[in-house]
Amino acid sequence: MSSEELASAAGVGSAKLRKDLSHLGSYGTRGVGYEVQYLIYQISRELGLTQDWKVVIVGIGNLGHALANYGGFTSRGFTVAALVDADPRVIGETVAGLTVSSLDSLDETVSSLGIQIGVVATPGPAAQEICDRLVTAGVTGVLNFAPCVLTVPDGVMVRRVDLATELQILAFHEQRRAANRLAGEMPTEPQDLNAALNAARPVPPATLTKSRAEAAG
Amino acid sequence: MSSEELASAAGVGSAKLRKDLSHLGSYGTRGVGYEVQYLIYQISRELGLTQDWKVVIVGIGNLGHALANYGGFTSRGFTVAALVDADPRVIGETVAGLTVSSLDSLDETVSSLGIQIGVVATPGPAAQEICDRLVTAGVTGVLNFAPCVLTVPDGVMVRRVDLATELQILAFHEQRRAANRLAGEMPTEPQDLNAALNAARPVPPATLTKSRAEAAG
DNA sequence: AACTGTGAATATTTTCACAGCA
DNA sequence: TGCTGTGAAAATATTCACAGTT
């Protein structure tokens, strides 16, 4: 299969696809293309998909349920090995074939099962403490769905998925398009915003006026 | 509040934060810092948070449930205006205060409610058709949770959230660290991988051997 | 003829470092 | 003095375009 075909399937340009693959090695054949099976194997190995990773999900609310039941993990080498929650009404419940265990048992669960990755699906205020306990127990990667920044020591990686932010990015572009439709190529900062700003009055008028003058100059 | 404080709260460097804010205008005060309330207002306006966006969620499985119940949307100006599913067992059910309506009504729901953003939480095979119908009905932004690339016409934006990919990125870095721990600064492509490759035998040995030779040379 | 792999060119992002202002 | 805003520099990422290979 050619880089052109692979690229369009992936939604990127062919040059980018070839450049990216070249970082793994020369696994294509000039004049012919790529052997898909071989490529899959090489990419899988490079990405660490040849080994199995154990995951604990902390916080079995709506999102935790969805994650526990999400089929996409298993097929990519992730095993949800434990579910943990703080709420006594949830503890003991069976979700996706696993029994939800108490937050108290988190440390022991992680160490004894050899869990490497923790998924934080708790409310924001609880997230940092959960994260600290995960790290102490030996987790080296954290996927954070809580709406906050998590601080971790060196050697531990955090990734954050913020669902509201994803929608905001869509809304931002939509707004831009709508603005352009109305007024051709209007500058980013329209000058006659003073009325709106004063109406909203987020800070004392004095400061506001000064800052506007600065921005206009 | 100084750029240093804001940056550490956001988990980025202070130079980056100042540079980013400078694209909105000069809303800070030299020698002092930023007025947080004023900054919040300016950022909100620029991001389009001052207007309300209507969202339809298509596919009310585990993830759809979680999204419908997710509190973070409302506070950032998104209203989940409709829930749609194809499964007769789900249609009519009440989720997060809304009645799940039939897929047949999708087009009318979107146009009559003036929905701007569609969230696709369906299985992969259904996603493209749903997406097409959303776009035809007037949606201009799509948030895709299905594990596939969606094709849309110009003027429509798609963002994809792939939960398994997020875990893979964590696993990738974890694997790298583990490899480095074992062997200091081992090159990215160890040479003695032949045995493993042949054992896995993803392609006929001839091709495999040739490609390996090429990669080594 | 067809298609990869990759240097060189271009574009974008991030960081530095400091002039200028409160 | 302390901090912003921003050019200039450095680092990354993307695209071009073509030599090299089957």
Side-chain angles (χ1 to χ4, degrees):
Chain A
M1 185 175 282
S2 72
S3 61
E4 199 65 62
E5 293 172 278
L6 289 168
S8 94
V12 299
S14 65
K16 179 150 153 45
L17 184 129
R18 286 202 305 282
K19 177 70 93 180
D20 285 1
L21 288 183
S22 78
H23 292 301
L24 308 182
S26 294
Y27 297 137
T29 306
R30 289 167 196 242
V32 179
Y34 297 89
E35 171 70 35
V36 174
Q37 287 309 308
Y38 183 50
L39 205 50
I40 288 172
Y41 174 76
Q42 289 296 343
I43 294 172
S44 300
R45 184 174 54 77
E46 194 72 23
L47 293 182
L49 300 187
T50 49
Q51 67 180 277
D52 216 82
W53 301 90
K54 287 186 185 168
V55 175
V56 58
I57 299 173
V58 185
I60 312 302
N62 285 299
L63 184 57
H65 266 87
L67 294 169
N69 283 299
Y70 181 52
F73 293 150
T74 314
S75 67
R76 300 232 229 152
F78 297 98
T79 303
V80 178
L83 306 176
V84 172
D85 201 291
D87 187 340
R89 287 169 301 183
V90 178
I91 296 166
E93 202 181 296
T94 298
V95 176
L98 288 167
T99 303
V100 179
S101 54
S102 159
L103 192 58
D104 300 332
S105 70
L106 179 60
D107 308 49
E108 207 213 295
T109 302
V110 169
S111 5
S112 67
L113 294 177
I115 287 171
Q116 299 120 326
I117 294 175
V119 174
V120 176
T122 65
Q128 183 64 61
E129 194 208 318
I130 298 293
C131 176
D132 292 345
R133 290 181 56 182
L134 284 168
V135 169
T136 304
V139 153
T140 51
V142 174
L143 185 56
N144 176 31
F145 286 89
C148 60
V149 174
L150 294 179
T151 304
V152 290
D154 277 4
V156 177
M157 188 179 200
V158 180
R159 287 189 64 82
R160 178 159 165 229
V161 177
D162 184 334
L163 302 172
T165 297
E166 297 295 330
L167 283 183
Q168 277 187 13
I169 293 170
L170 288 175
F172 172 74
H173 288 275
E174 160 69 7
Q175 183 190 236
R176 277 298 191 79
R177 272 197 307 278
N180 289 342
R181 264 196 303 278
L182 283 176
E185 276 305 324
M186 177 186 282
T188 307
E189 288 292 328
Q191 295 302 309
D192 57 349
L193 202 58
N194 250 321
L197 280 173
N198 282 311
R201 199 180 299 276
V203 290
T207 307
L208 214 159
T209 306
K210 185 210 57 198
S211 296
R212 286 297 308 163
E214 207 181 347
Chain B
M1 185 175 283
S2 72
S3 61
E4 199 65 63
E5 292 172 277
L6 288 168
S8 95
V12 299
S14 66
K16 181 150 153 41
L17 184 129
R18 286 202 305 281
K19 178 70 93 179
D20 285 359
L21 288 185
S22 78
H23 292 300
L24 308 182
S26 294
Y27 297 137
T29 306
R30 289 168 197 240
V32 178
Y34 297 89
E35 172 71 33
V36 174
Q37 285 310 307
Y38 183 50
L39 205 49
I40 287 173
Y41 173 75
Q42 289 297 342
I43 294 172
S44 300
R45 184 175 54 78
E46 194 73 23
L47 292 181
L49 299 187
T50 49
Q51 70 180 274
D52 215 82
W53 301 91
K54 288 186 183 168
V55 175
V56 57
I57 299 174
V58 185
I60 312 300
N62 284 299
L63 184 56
H65 267 88
L67 293 169
N69 284 298
Y70 181 52
F73 292 150
T74 313
S75 66
R76 301 233 228 152
F78 297 99
T79 303
V80 178
L83 305 176
V84 173
D85 200 291
D87 187 340
R89 286 169 301 183
V90 178
I91 295 166
E93 201 180 296
T94 299
V95 176
L98 289 167
T99 303
V100 178
S101 54
S102 161
L103 191 58
D104 300 332
S105 70
L106 179 60
D107 308 49
E108 208 215 294
T109 302
V110 169
S111 2
S112 67
L113 294 178
I115 287 171
Q116 298 121 324
I117 293 176
V119 174
V120 177
T122 65
Q128 183 65 60
E129 195 208 316
I130 298 293
C131 177
D132 292 345
R133 290 180 56 183
L134 283 168
V135 170
T136 304
V139 153
T140 51
V142 174
L143 185 55
N144 176 31
F145 286 90
C148 60
V149 174
L150 294 179
T151 304
V152 290
D154 277 4
V156 178
M157 188 179 200
V158 180
R159 288 189 62 84
R160 179 160 165 229
V161 176
D162 184 334
L163 302 172
T165 297
E166 296 295 330
L167 283 183
Q168 277 186 13
I169 293 169
L170 288 174
F172 172 75
H173 288 276
E174 160 69 8
Q175 183 191 236
R176 276 300 191 77
R177 272 198 306 278
N180 289 342
R181 263 198 302 279
L182 282 176
E185 275 306 322
M186 178 186 282
T188 307
E189 288 293 327
Q191 297 301 308
D192 57 347
L193 203 58
N194 251 321
L197 280 174
N198 282 311
R201 199 180 301 276
V203 290
T207 307
L208 214 161
T209 307
K210 185 210 58 198
S211 295
R212 285 299 306 164
E214 206 183 347

